[in-house]
Amino acid sequence: MLLVSLGIALRWRKRVVNQENENERMESALADLRHGNQLAIELHDTLSNDLTYISTIARNNLAAPAGIDGGD
């Protein structure tokens, strides 16, 4: 009976260790996804700001009458 109990305890412990290892892998994967998501947000914000600036410059150049810019 003692050996059966020991076998059950060891099997249970192995399952617990395996689950803990799986949890650590999943937490690491989640951290990687969150980091990638943060980088995507920052890239989107930067690109949006740059495109807004380019659009504003283009709109101002199209609205300016020819010859006003002082160029020859």
Side-chain angles (χ1 to χ4, degrees), residues 10-26:
L10 289 175
R11 213 172 318 134
W12 176 80
R13 179 67 183 142
K14 183 178 179 180
R15 275 190 244 155
V16 168
V17 169
N18 287 341
Q19 186 61 51
E20 288 173 347
N21 290 339
E22 180 65 16
N23 289 348
E24 288 176 9
R25 283 191 296 271
M26 296 303 284

Side-chain angles (χ1 to χ4, degrees), residues 9-58:
L10 289 175
R11 213 172 318 134
W12 176 80
R13 179 67 183 142
K14 183 178 179 180
R15 275 190 244 155
V16 168
V17 169
N18 287 341
Q19 186 61 51
E20 288 173 347
N21 290 339
E22 180 65 16
N23 289 348
E24 288 176 9
R25 283 191 296 271
M26 296 303 284
E27 287 174 3
S28 177
L30 180 59
D32 290 344
L33 288 172
R34 286 182 173 155
H35 183 255
N37 190 45
Q38 184 61 38
L39 290 175
I41 289 170
E42 291 173 12
L43 178 61
H44 175 270
D45 291 347
T46 300
L47 184 59
S48 293
N49 288 338
D50 289 349
L51 290 174
T52 299
Y53 175 74
I54 291 168
S55 175
T56 301
I57 296 298

